[in-house]
Amino acid sequence: MDGRPGWHDMGMMRLVAQPATVPSGQVTLRVVNAGALPHEVVVLPLRAGQTAGARAVGAVGRVSEAGSLGEASRTCGAGTGDGILPRTTGWTTLTLQPGRYELLCNNPGHYAAGMYTELDVVR
Ligand SMILES: [Cu+2]
């Protein structure tokens, strides 16, 4: 915890990919928000040697979404919206090449609180 106001009391949050390895091609992410706050899932590629959870967090508690391949952030709908409300589901369908990807929630403070995981895409 870094003591910056706004999210130092956020506690631990998590994001789980199930399964964590999928075949390449069309991939549908179905994001079930089992928590008490709105969340989202953004898909970013991981470079060789880069690990999930290691991105720089900016002043507003978010990471850069440059290179994003898409996101699920709409309550009970596909693609981009205002966030997936608690106890609801959002989804998105992407075409992913083989490689390593990071799934993360970029609501302020959520990444630093642990909302990231790796998704591996195999041939
Ligand atoms: Cu979140």
Side-chain angles (χ1 to χ4, degrees):
M1 292 296 118
D2 56 18
R4 281 178 285 186
W7 64 88
H8 65 279
D9 58 351
M10 196 82 66
M12 293 307 290
M13 299 183 185
R14 67 190 181 128
L15 197 164
V16 179
Q18 209 172 27
T21 301
V22 298
S24 61
Q26 213 172 65
V27 176
T28 295
L29 302 176
R30 185 171 61 92
V31 181
V32 179
N33 182 354
L37 297 170
H39 295 292
E40 65 178 13
V41 168
V42 180
V43 182
L44 292 167
L46 282 170
R47 296 186 312 271
Q50 189 181 16
T51 57
R55 293 175 195 275
V57 177
V60 293
R62 302 175 77 239
V63 301
S64 169
E65 294 186 9
S68 169
L69 297 160
E71 67 180 74
S73 55
R74 182 183 302 277
T75 296
C76 301
T80 304
D82 296 328
I84 301 168
L85 292 174
R87 306 293 160 180
T88 71
T89 300
W91 56 89
T92 190
T93 299
L94 309 169
T95 300
L96 297 179
Q97 305 301 317
R100 298 163 57 243
Y101 298 86
E102 183 169 5
L103 310 181
L104 63 91
C105 177
N106 211 13
N107 287 356
H110 292 203
Y111 186 80
M115 288 202 74
Y116 53 82
T117 193
E118 180 172 333
L119 176 71
D120 295 325
V121 176
V122 296
R123 208 165 283 283

